[in-house]
Amino acid sequence: MPKTRIMAFTWSTLKNLFSKPATKNYPAEPIRYPERSRGHIEIDIEDCISCSMCARSCPTGAITVDRKELTWAINRFDCLACGYCVIKCPKKCLHLVPGYQTPEGEKKEVSFKRPAPAPKPAAAPSAAPKAAGSASAAGKATLNGDIVTMANGKTMDLSKFPAEKKAEILKKLGLDAAPAPKAEAEGKATLEGDIVRLPNGKTMDLSKLPEANREKVLQKLGLK
Amino acid sequence: MEEREKKRSVVPFGPQHPVLPEPIHLDLVLEDEKVVDVIPSIGFIHRGLEDLVKKRDFNEYVYVAERTCGICSFGHGLGYVEAVEKCMNVEVPIRAKYLRTIWSEMARIHSHLLWAGLMADAFGFENLFYQCWRLREKNLDLVEMTTGGRLIYSVNKVGGVLKDITPDMQKVILNNLSELEAELRDVYKTFMTDYSVQERTRGVGVLTKEQVHDLGCCGPYARASGVARDIRQLGYEAYGELDFEPVVSNDGDNYARCDVRLREVFQSIDLIRQAIAKIPNGELSVPVKGNPDGEAFIRIEQPRGEAIYYVEGNGTKFLNRFRLRTPTFANIPGMCETMKGCSYADIPLLVVTIDPCISCTER
């Protein structure tokens, strides 16, 4: 049977009565946040590339990225300050800093606009084949062997894709009609001893294959 | 028999009640002032979080799982992440395990002090309620210093943890916990020896050991009836390397439950001291490649009892299923059993002694 006391809490009560209150006198006394406090998201807008990884990763959908208008907007009231966008940003331009959102009358978005990127140089003229020269000037993609040069100057190596995907891409870019036979004529496999050099640049060592398969491969490549 | 039935009345308790931290509804069947039967119903705070796992990829879902509940939030993040790690066979670095253990115990301290305050409020001792919550503020300051948030920690990720506890922070933690412990002794003494507390809690809501086994109760609720079961003994995270015994009491009434939970706070402070003394150096996380495929099942000891986490992956970045069985769900039948035959004025206390966390119960 434990002890029973009538005034067990009296000493604590008297101590509390005559000591400093535990309540902080906010807003007269400003808040001191610890260093790691998760308050709100800030962005270095000059470094943003509008990839929208942050918008895709936000659990609440508080971030909106517009690639055409080059804006990055956040609804601070929806933001949880979880920090996932900070982890996902490839350019590390987002930061989670202390300071909670102050109360306001209605939810609204805060928008930032980044400076427009410098215009890219025109598609390299030496790479474009003569037949499609006019196409690149008009802003279309061009095909040279297995390399597609897009209107914005970027290149794509089609040999990395499987055959169906390759056909799909060519169709999408409008390159599937004429260049195909040209590619075949240009890209034939060549045989150097035991090494077969394929049109996509890859090499195959026939000595590693069994005898029966070697014949099949050479026949397939039209080298026999 | 008919006469007695005519005298019965059904009184609704909740979902809004001053003593409840979260909404639960009980239909109390009363005969005069004595409770004869209890019919619980839940569903007021169901948000469909388990379905959301199909729309948020498995890395992002940690932030959703944490926000299942404000009181047991670290445990939910930890359980989910551990289940996904088990599914993907990821081995977490040892320093991350120790850090997770330290944060887990800090979450336990905050939860038990919150409960102690609510219990004091339930029997009308508001002064003690505020004292408990003032102690809890010290704990929350430590948590904010190390993780950035007071209730939602957001430090777990699949593969490890995101932040470190530096040696300076460890010193501050040890200092502040010593102060907390000294003040907590006063509070513990008041809970255990004060006359008014004893009048309200001794002999009320008794559950025997056999009843606990039959009804499937878990956590401090079961340990107060003499069942020495603590899931931390399984040795998940760094608990295998720390030295502790489950805190048990044999009486099975509300008084024993107060005793068990407050003694667990002292045990948690001791565990944090052990972990900080032993914490090894190392990395904080390992990179995780690929998507979860298959099933995994994890049990952890939340402040309220044993929580079970089940994930099922199908090879894509969205999980197929995430299921969480919370300890409060297992304790509700026990609660209803204790209420039969008690007086109407004891109902709020009996609800608060299971430490109800209804937002985890219905995600």
Side-chain angles (χ1 to χ4, degrees), chain A residues 5 12 16 36 38 57 59, chain B residues 56 134 146 152 164 186 193:
Chain A
R5 298 158 94 203
S12 290
N16 291 338
R36 290 188 182 178
R38 286 179 280 121
S57 67
Chain B
R56 302 274 180 271
R134 179 159 61 167
T146 49
I152 307 288
D164 195 13
D186 229 355
T193 60

Side-chain angles (χ1 to χ4, degrees), chain B residues 119-136:
Chain B
M119 188 70 178
D121 191 38
F123 43 70
F125 201 152
E126 272 193 36
N127 199 344
L128 192 56
F129 164 38
Y130 293 141
Q131 189 77 354
C132 290
W133 279 41
R134 179 159 61 167
L135 289 182
R136 182 174 162 254

Side-chain angles (χ1 to χ4, degrees), chain A residues 1-9 11-13 15-16 20-22 24 33-34 36-38 56-60 80-84 87-88 100, chain B residues 56-57 59-60 63-64 67 125 127-128 131 134 144-149 152-154 162-164 166 169 186 189-190 192-195 198 202 255:
Chain A
M1 182 78 187
K3 287 197 300 195
T4 308
R5 298 158 94 203
I6 306 260
M7 310 218 309
F9 203 50
W11 177 232
S12 290
T13 314
K15 251 194 329 192
N16 291 338
K20 212 172 60 139
K24 293 194 172 79
Y33 292 112
R36 290 188 182 178
S37 172
R38 286 179 280 121
R56 266 178 273 164
S57 67
C58 181
T60 51
L80 304 170
C82 62
Y84 197 47
I87 296 171
K88 283 285 180 179
Y100 295 120
Chain B
R56 302 274 180 271
D57 64 75
N59 279 321
E60 200 182 325
Y63 300 106
V64 178
R67 286 163 173 81
F125 201 152
N127 199 344
L128 192 56
Q131 189 77 354
R134 179 159 61 167
E144 197 181 10
M145 175 184 75
T146 49
T147 67
I152 307 288
Y153 296 29
S154 284
L162 290 170
K163 299 198 165 102
D164 195 13
T166 60
M169 286 180 183
D186 229 355
K189 204 177 61 174
T190 310
M192 295 293 109
T193 60
D194 192 77
Y195 174 73
Q198 288 194 14
R202 287 183 69 82
Y255 186 75

Side-chain angles (χ1 to χ4, degrees), chain A residues 30-87:
Chain A
I31 308 180
R32 270 182 290 265
Y33 292 112
E35 208 185 300
R36 290 188 182 178
S37 172
R38 286 179 280 121
H40 64 280
I41 297 280
E42 289 196 352
I43 183 171
D44 292 333
I45 194 68
E46 307 83 30
D47 300 329
C48 175
I49 55 171
S50 299
C51 65
S52 43
M53 284 294 297
C54 52
R56 266 178 273 164
S57 67
C58 181
T60 51
I63 299 183
T64 329
V65 173
D66 194 335
R67 291 190 95 165
K68 288 217 177 71
E69 305 289 322
L70 301 177
T71 51
W72 181 91
I74 184 168
N75 185 339
R76 293 217 190 275
F77 282 93
D78 280 347
C79 170
L80 304 170
C82 62
Y84 197 47
C85 54
V86 178
I87 296 171

Side-chain angles (χ1 to χ4, degrees), chain A residues 53-221:
Chain A
M53 284 294 297
C54 52
R56 266 178 273 164
S57 67
C58 181
T60 51
I63 299 183
T64 329
V65 173
D66 194 335
R67 291 190 95 165
K68 288 217 177 71
E69 305 289 322
L70 301 177
T71 51
W72 181 91
I74 184 168
N75 185 339
R76 293 217 190 275
F77 282 93
D78 280 347
C79 170
L80 304 170
C82 62
Y84 197 47
C85 54
V86 178
I87 296 171
K88 283 285 180 179
C89 177
K91 289 288 172 186
K92 303 286 169 229
C93 59
L94 290 169
H95 310 286
L96 190 47
V97 295
Y100 295 120
Q101 171 66 21
T102 50
E104 284 190 33
E106 54 184 21
K107 287 190 187 186
K108 58 181 191 302
E109 280 197 343
V110 177
S111 193
F112 299 89
K113 193 171 162 92
R114 65 180 250 238
K120 291 245 166 39
S126 55
K130 282 184 294 199
S134 56
S136 75
K140 261 189 92 166
T142 54
L143 181 66
N144 183 16
D146 259 336
I147 311 288
V148 173
T149 309
M150 320 260 245
N152 62 7
K154 286 201 177 137
T155 54
M156 190 157 64
D157 184 2
L158 286 181
S159 60
K160 292 199 175 120
F161 297 100
E164 312 87 44
K165 188 85 185 169
K166 205 164 141 179
E168 205 185 295
I169 295 176
L170 288 172
K171 193 169 170 189
K172 222 173 180 177
L173 294 170
L175 295 166
D176 50 346
K182 197 174 172 194
E184 259 186 29
E186 277 185 350
K188 220 178 167 254
T190 51
L191 184 62
E192 295 157 26
D194 257 340
I195 312 286
V196 174
R197 192 167 293 277
L198 299 171
N200 63 8
K202 286 194 180 146
T203 52
M204 194 155 64
D205 188 358
L206 285 179
S207 58
K208 292 204 173 120
L209 299 173
E211 193 60 60
N213 289 6
R214 276 185 229 167
E215 297 290 322
K216 277 191 200 161
V217 167
L218 290 171
Q219 267 185 354
K220 215 171 180 181
L221 291 171

Side-chain angles (χ1 to χ4, degrees), chain B residues 343-359:
Chain B
S343 137
Y344 181 52
D346 283 327
I347 293 287
L349 271 183
L350 289 173
V351 172
V352 173
T353 46
I354 68 166
D355 207 353
C357 187
I358 309 295
S359 28

